[in-house]
Structures are given as structure tokens and as C-alpha cells.
Amino acid sequence: MAEYSTYGSVAVLQVNNPPVNSFSYHVRQGLVDGLEKAQRDPTIRSIVVMGKGRTFPAGADVREFGTASAGMMPDLLSVLAAVDTSPKPVVSAIHGTALGGGFELALASHYRLAVSSARVGLPEVHLGVLPGAGGTQRLPRVVGVKTAIQMITTGQHIKAQQALSLGLVDKIVKGDLLKEAVSFARSIEGRPVEVKRISQKTVPDADKVQEVVDAARKTIVRRARGAIAPMTCVQAIQASVLPFDVGMQREGELMAFLMTSWQAPAQQYAFFSEREIRRWSHPRDKRINFKTAKPRVIKSVGVVGAGTMGVGITISLLQAGLKVVLLEVNKKQLDRGITTIQKTLSQKSASQKMSLLTTTMDYSALSDVDMVIEAVFESLRLKKEVFKKLDSITKPQAILASNTSGLDIDKIAAVTKRPDKVVGTHFFAPANIMRLLENILGKHTSAETIATAMQLGTTIGKVGVLVGNCPGFVGNRMLGPYVTEAVFLLEEGADPEDVDKAIEEFGLAMGPFRMGDLSGLDIGWRGRIEKGLTTEQGPPPATPPLYRRGNRYCPLADMLCMQGRLGQKTGAGWYRYEPGSRAALPDPVVHQMIREYRQEHGFKKRTISSQEIVERCLYPLINEGFHILDEGITARSMDIDVTYLFGYGWPRHTGGPMYYAERVVGLEKILRSLESYQAQYPDHHYLQPSPLLRNMVAKGTSLAALGTDSKL
């Protein structure tokens, strides 16, 4: 696991633990044994530590998380202490990525070399912990507290050239890394080691540490959205002004605090889920899964529609090196789309990527592509027309995908002669940035088509989730009760900013009303009109104002749209917006409209706590997740969690809505809260607890048991 070899006076320890040379127990033991062997050999005057294969050691072995091996001695602290205190100079030779414990190993070494393509960083904050092997103590001694806070609290990776400029790397080498490292090691033999020990250095501008921390705190707290790890990292970094052993003790105490918190397991669950999600299976037929279904090879993709979504999808495909035929029947829209694509692609690769793009206004140009992704306006009638054309023009084996956010895939597939090759591919805006891809299977979608859609997601860097066909699929279906309850809260006394504040303090990136203004209120309005719930002039004839089809209904959002307040794009929605600004400002006009609405319908304003807002909005959302699992729309609760983590800004430190429900709040508390609210609001049907939730509480079963393919 740590191979020992000698080159004259230089001992070389090469970590060999594919794929990323992580610090498993055997690697740790091998490094300690190798260091001791080098110390005993009088002919050895210097030591090189490096990785074999594709990278320098890239951190902890995630396969050991939660196992006995993780705690076996020597631990990483012992390894790094042996490196730091070595009387013979230790040189870390870095290629690939030196992350987490790998970078801490490099910082404990006396010298650091790197190839130009190498990256270094301390990303532990993303797992809800801190760099616990001296990273919070050594890094600020080199780069200062301000830069250390920036690097550690964001978990950013930096390139070798930047590391060199910060003093984290002594030299960038070209050519064979092993040869260069051995040569460098020979050149520093005999030099005093003490002055090269970072642990013995002092922090630059130590007297200004409190000032730097105070300046950073507001930004970090806002960005953390309730996560405790970032500010705990700052506390550890503050301790770097103390003697090294005292600072290390403080780092250990803070690490123990984080490790025993509920947030660290939640963030580690989120980390593993992103990888586990690739092991997909059909929600209703486990025989169809990532092992048994083989994808078609996709080399060229047609995209229909050069609007915001079509352009974003095209950029994602081009960046992955796929040939793209972009079709748009409106010449001005096509020209705007081409301009956006050119501006978005990096200057370095723009010409190369643009050479993969063909643009057209003629459907016949799609005749030979392997797959088509339709990205036209969200109208079932329009999408059916497009699919009829595609079915008649494309080659028989081509896969036809719809970028719909909630329309019936089976109805779209029914207009084709190849329903087995029709699938939903719900991208999230902006499609070239947002990582979630919700892949929707219809009742006739073949295993090959499913596998191809999932593989395409991986190819273009998306996190693909496989879901069944139902209105809104998973993400938007769960959003329904969330937004509905948020609007009901306005009837009872809350203002839009009260609801958004409570939800954002919980940790979501954006509250429901800010989110609605950003997306455009007309999208939901048009959907409600299409369903017959409202009209452009108001409620349908002979319809009670506060009920639709026997269910409670709040028309406040419809009233805004009827006034032309469609959100940011019109400068007014639930909030008002100054010209050229996206800042949501409370609007007295909306407040007055809500007050008049309450008076008209007999609602009495009351004070509503943040806790009630969070429970009334999020518990129905979670409850809908249980309905989705019960109906076989997804195979695992993890699919729901990943959908919300990557598509809806759900706070990572809570693990996802289903994880949060079970492991943070507790399913029984969720159930009892829903029952209590349902008793208060019997006509709010979203508050009726899911039969699956009731059954799980009664039997004491877990969500993990529902997804038998999961390793989590």
C-alpha cells in the first residue's frame, strides 16, 4: 500500500491504493513503516512521498467511514507527526489532487513539489467536519488567516500555480515527477530541517486575527445557511495563533464536536448519495437496473428550441464533446441563442466546441441524430406536435426525449410509433449550470432508453435521478403542497417576506415567494388555467372563490398575475424590483392587496411563528415524498433527497427532505405534527398523512429498508 524504494541516498514512498490513493489503514501503516525504515538506514539522507498511478493521496478512505479500520492506529495524525518530526527532510511530490488528508500530508512535509496540473485543497467542510490532521493549524501559518478561512470554509481547490504564489508549493516541476523529486531531494540534503517545519512557524499578522474573523463572519454565516461546520472551521483557524500543540488540541476538540453533531452524518449521507444514485433501478421492476440495462451509444443530439432551456442544454452537450444540431423555427430566437452559446463557452475552447454545433430551422436536419431533446414551451399540445414531426423525420432507432417539468410523458409518447424510445429529461434552469437531471420513464419506455438517458446525464456532468410518470414527477409534485401552504399562511397573517425569511433561515437557498418571482408567476398561472382552476379574468363561473373541486384554494397568486405582476421579469410580483436589480423589496401594494383579501373573506390576522411556517411548508412537502414512495414513483428515498439537494436548493447539512424527516426530526414527530395541523385545517388535503408514513411509524421501519439496492 506504500511501496518503499531507494535511489541512492533518497528513499521513495509511493502510495498505491487505487483509485485515489486514499489513507486506508494499510496505507497509514505502510507510510509509518517506510519512514521508520528510512530513518534507520544511515545511507538514506532524504525522503520523497508521492502517489502511484493517477494522483497524490487524495484524502481519507471513504470506504472506511463508520468501520473499525477508521480508528485503527496509526491514525493520520500519527503519520503526519512522523513526517513533521523526521530529522531527514521529507519532500511531497504532488500530481493529480492532494485533497483533505493528502494536502495535510503535504503541509506536514518539509518541501512540496507539484506538476502544473495538480490541485490542492481542504474540502472537509463539505462533509460537515474540519481538516482534522493539522490543516487548520498549518495552512494559516503559510497563507495567513484570511486566505486560510477562504480556502477551508469553502473547501475550494486551487491550482498548482496559485499554490506556488501562496507559498504552499516550493516548485512546479516539468517532466518525470519521480526523477524530478529525487533530484530535488538530493539538492536539499544536509540543510537544516527545523526551519522548514510549518508547525514551528508563526501566523502572519497574528495581531489582526480577530479583525479578520469579524470581517468574514457575516459572509460565512449567510453562505452557510445554518451549517455549523464553516464557523467551527473558523474557530479552529483562530487557534493557529497559539503554540502548535495547543492549537492542535483545540482543532481536535472542535473536530470531535462536529463528528458528534447530527449535521456531519447528514452531509456525509449527501456525499455518498451523489455517488450511490448512479446505481439506479426501475422503481417498479428491480430487474431493470444499472447492471442489466445497456445504453445506446450517443454521438449526436438534436435540441428543439433555442430558448433559455434549449440553449442551456446545448451548452452542456457541447461542453461534453457531443455533436449537436440545434433547431429553432424563429430566426431571431435562433440568432440570440447562438450568441448566448458563443458568449458562455470559454474563450479557450469556444471555437473547438462551436465546430460541433449545427444550427437549423428545418426539422429534416435532425434525420440522422442519435437522440433528440425537445425543449419547447411547456404546452402538451405543442409538445405533441413536435413529437409527431420528430417521429416522422428521425431514424427509427433515435431516442426522443422531452424536457418537460411535469407533463404526461405517456401522452407525449402516444403520438409516436416508438413509445419505447420516448423518455422525459427534465433539466433545471440554467441547464448548463444546474446539475440535476430528472429522467422520467413512461409505461412503455424500454430499459435501453432508460439506461441511455441515465448515461447521457453522466456524460454531460449531471446527477441523474430516475423517476416514474406522474403530474410534476418528483421535484415539482412535492413543491405543490409546499407552495400551497405558503400561500395559505398569507391568509392567516404572514407577509411574503415572513415566510421567505423562515424558510431561508432553515437553510433553503430561496423562499417560495422569491422563488416564484424568479421563475415567473405566469408559469404556475398558465398551468392552473389549463387545469380549469382559474381563468385570465378570475374564478371560473359558478365557482366558490376559496374552493376548487372540493379543495381549499387561495387565489392570491392569480390576482397578482391578473395585474400583470409576473415576477422579476415585469419588475413586480410578490415583491417589487428596481430597474436592473434582482433584489426582492417588500411591496406595500402587495401588503394592501393581502389585507383587503383577508377582510373580504373574513380572515383574522394572527402572529405566526417561524417554526409553524417551516412545519406548515416543509412537512407537507415531505409527506408528498412518502406518497411518491408509496406509489412506486421512485425506487428509494435517496432519489428524492438527491432531487432536492441538486435541483431545489435544499440545505446539504440536513441531508435532504426524507433524511431530515427520519433522522433529524423523527417520523413520529412528522406524523403527529401533520395530524395536528390536519385537525386545524381539515380542508387542506395536503396535510392528510401518507398511509406509508403511518405504516412506517406503526411498525418502526426505516426508509433505508425501502431501497434494498442502497448501500447507505
Side-chain angles (χ1 to χ4, degrees):
M1 288 296 200
E3 299 172 2
Y4 185 95
S5 56
T6 58
Y7 295 80
S9 61
V10 182
V12 176
L13 297 178
Q14 286 186 293
V15 175
N16 186 14
N17 186 24
V20 294
N21 289 328
S22 51
F23 287 115
S24 66
Y25 162 70
H26 295 291
V27 168
R28 301 192 303 270
Q29 187 64 61
L31 286 170
V32 168
D33 291 344
L35 287 165
E36 291 177 351
K37 185 175 182 179
Q39 304 299 348
R40 291 193 303 268
D41 189 340
T43 67
I44 297 300
R45 302 184 62 203
S46 60
I47 304 164
V48 169
V49 178
M50 61 191 301
K52 199 166 187 177
R54 74 188 206 192
T55 186
F56 190 79
D61 190 339
V62 295
R63 294 169 296 190
E64 286 190 352
F65 280 20
T67 70
S69 297
M72 290 175 65
M73 296 299 286
D75 59 11
L76 189 56
L77 283 167
S78 303
V79 175
L80 302 199
V83 171
D84 190 346
T85 58
S86 169
K88 299 176 181 180
V90 179
V91 179
S92 277
I94 303 167
H95 74 296
T97 53
L99 303 177
F103 189 34
E104 288 176 301
L105 168 61
L107 291 172
S109 303
H110 309 122
Y111 298 90
R112 287 156 296 284
L113 310 179
V115 299
S116 60
S117 60
R119 288 175 176 264
V120 301
L122 296 169
E124 285 86 348
V125 70
H126 297 310
L127 295 176
V129 294
L130 54 75
T136 67
Q137 303 305 298
R138 289 188 175 93
L139 184 64
R141 283 173 159 80
V142 179
V143 302
V145 168
K146 183 177 181 180
T147 300
I149 288 175
Q150 168 64 23
M151 287 182 64
I152 291 175
T153 61
T154 63
Q156 75 178 113
H157 305 176
I158 63 172
K159 296 179 180 178
Q161 190 59 51
Q162 185 180 356
L164 179 68
S165 66
L166 289 171
L168 293 168
V169 167
D170 296 292
K171 183 181 179 181
I172 293 178
V173 299
K174 298 179 180 179
D176 184 274
L177 180 59
L178 175 59
K179 290 181 180 178
E180 293 291 337
V182 168
S183 175
F184 180 86
R186 286 179 181 139
S187 73
I188 50 88
E189 289 175 356
R191 296 183 188 179
V193 171
E194 292 77 10
V195 296
K196 300 301 296 182
R197 289 187 178 123
I198 293 175
S199 60
Q200 302 308 304
K201 297 180 182 294
T202 56
V203 174
D205 299 323
D207 58 326
K208 298 180 180 178
V209 166
Q210 192 59 53
E211 181 182 330
V212 170
V213 169
D214 291 342
R217 178 177 282 108
K218 188 174 181 181
T219 299
I220 293 169
V221 169
R222 183 178 69 250
R223 189 176 62 219
R225 292 160 43 200
I228 60 175
M231 276 309 300
T232 308
C233 288
V234 172
Q235 291 178 273
I237 293 167
Q238 278 184 283
S240 63
V241 300
L242 303 172
F244 184 74
D245 58 343
V246 178
M248 286 295 294
Q249 182 178 347
R250 181 61 174 151
E251 179 187 87
E253 292 167 353
L254 292 169
M255 182 64 156
F257 162 71
L258 290 175
M259 289 292 287
T260 54
S261 75
W262 60 266
Q263 291 193 5
Q267 287 189 245
Q268 288 157 25
Y269 164 84
F271 172 84
F272 283 115
S273 294
E274 182 180 348
R275 289 144 183 81
E276 179 74 7
I277 205 73
R278 299 170 188 167
R279 298 166 57 88
W280 60 268
S281 64
H282 193 294
R284 296 177 182 173
D285 186 351
K286 295 294 191 293
R287 294 171 300 177
I288 300 173
N289 56 58
F290 74 102
K291 289 182 179 178
T292 62
K294 304 304 177 186
R296 292 186 65 84
V297 175
I298 300 296
K299 295 182 179 179
S300 59
V301 182
V303 177
V304 180
T308 301
M309 291 304 299
V311 166
I313 293 167
T314 298
I315 291 168
S316 295
L317 295 166
L318 291 173
Q319 287 174 330
L322 292 167
K323 292 181 180 179
V324 181
V325 179
L326 175 61
L327 180 145
E328 171 58 62
V329 296
N330 183 303
K331 181 67 165 63
K332 288 185 178 179
Q333 184 65 54
L334 181 59
D335 290 342
R336 281 196 296 268
I338 293 170
T339 300
T340 301
I341 293 167
Q342 289 173 326
K343 287 181 178 178
T344 305
L345 293 172
S346 67
Q347 293 297 318
K348 186 175 180 181
S349 63
S351 59
Q352 177 190 354
K353 299 298 184 187
M354 288 299 291
S355 68
L356 298 171
L357 176 65
T358 301
T359 59
T360 184
M361 297 175 65
D362 186 350
Y363 272 83
S364 65
L366 301 174
S367 62
D368 199 41
V369 297
D370 300 318
M371 181 176 185
V372 179
I373 300 173
E374 161 273 308
V376 301
F377 184 71
E378 188 77 346
S379 160
L380 184 59
R381 178 191 58 78
L382 178 58
K383 289 181 185 289
K384 283 182 174 181
E385 290 177 3
V386 170
F387 269 71
K388 279 183 180 178
K389 290 180 182 177
L390 293 174
D391 191 43
S392 65
I393 289 168
T394 56
K395 58 190 180 185
Q397 64 269 38
I399 289 172
L400 306 181
S402 176
N403 174 51
T404 173
S405 59
L407 297 178
D408 192 329
I409 289 296
D410 289 326
K411 288 182 179 179
I412 295 172
V415 303
T416 74
K417 296 176 182 177
R418 60 179 99 181
D420 60 309
K421 291 182 172 59
V422 175
V423 67
T425 50
H426 178 201
F427 288 81
F428 287 69
N432 56 304
I433 295 174
M434 294 293 285
R435 293 188 62 203
L436 183 68
L437 177 60
E438 197 176 29
N439 289 317
I440 306 98
L441 59 94
K443 61 184 177 183
H444 297 297
T445 307
S446 70
E448 180 185 68
T449 300
I450 294 169
T452 304
M454 295 297 286
Q455 181 57 52
L456 179 69
T458 301
T459 299
I460 64 177
K462 303 299 182 187
V463 179
V465 178
L466 181 63
V467 305
N469 184 30
C470 64
F473 312 134
V474 169
N476 286 344
R477 174 175 166 177
M478 291 172 65
L479 213 58
Y482 163 77
V483 173
T484 299
E485 283 300 315
V487 178
F488 285 153
L489 286 163
L490 303 185
E491 295 181 335
E492 299 171 41
D495 287 325
E497 53 270 29
D498 298 328
V499 176
D500 283 347
K501 182 174 183 288
I503 294 300
E504 289 164 17
E505 285 179 349
F506 171 79
L508 266 79
M510 198 175 291
F513 298 109
R514 285 181 60 215
M515 180 185 68
D517 276 2
L518 176 64
S519 301
L521 299 179
D522 54 319
I523 297 174
W525 188 42
R526 293 296 172 192
R528 293 190 295 275
I529 290 172
E530 194 168 311
K531 293 175 183 175
L533 298 175
T534 189
T535 72
E536 292 186 0
Q537 291 75 41
T543 300
L546 303 186
Y547 284 85
R548 298 292 188 275
R549 299 166 188 166
N551 296 316
R552 269 287 278 115
Y553 185 86
C554 178
L556 282 169
D558 300 338
M559 293 163 63
L560 287 177
C561 293
M562 289 165 61
Q563 296 173 26
R565 299 178 65 102
L566 306 181
Q568 287 187 12
K569 58 188 173 187
T570 59
W574 292 108
Y575 297 92
R576 65 182 180 86
Y577 301 87
E578 296 292 347
S581 172
R582 290 178 175 266
L585 303 173
D587 195 337
V589 173
V590 173
H591 294 168
Q592 181 62 28
M593 182 190 80
I594 294 172
R595 280 196 298 270
E596 292 174 356
Y597 171 88
R598 290 179 191 139
Q599 290 171 0
E600 179 184 353
H601 297 289
F603 291 103
K604 291 184 178 180
K605 179 179 172 64
R606 66 181 178 87
T607 300
I608 304 176
S609 69
S610 293
Q611 180 180 346
E612 180 180 345
I613 290 171
V614 168
E615 291 179 354
R616 288 270 302 276
C617 290
L618 299 187
Y619 288 9
L621 179 152
I622 290 165
N623 189 49
E624 198 66 26
F626 281 97
H627 283 299
I628 284 168
L629 287 169
D630 203 17
E631 295 167 19
I633 301 300
T634 63
R636 305 163 292 187
S637 61
M638 183 200 310
D639 299 317
I640 297 173
D641 287 332
V642 168
T643 296
Y644 264 79
L645 287 169
F646 289 94
Y648 293 86
W650 188 277
R652 195 174 180 88
H653 64 271
T654 70
M658 307 309 285
Y659 180 99
Y660 173 75
E662 181 178 39
R663 304 196 201 181
V664 180
V665 179
L667 296 187
E668 184 166 2
K669 185 178 186 305
I670 296 284
L671 174 60
R672 302 307 170 217
S673 296
L674 285 169
E675 289 174 334
S676 175
Y677 286 125
Q678 212 261 328
Q680 294 177 59
Y681 307 99
D683 48 5
H684 294 199
H685 69 281
Y686 289 118
L687 296 173
Q688 179 65 42
S690 155
L692 176 61
L693 173 59
R694 288 189 183 280
N695 187 50
M696 289 183 66
V697 171
K699 293 183 177 180
T701 52
S702 70
L703 284 168
L706 299 178
T708 54
D709 291 342
S710 173
K711 289 184 175 179
L712 300 185

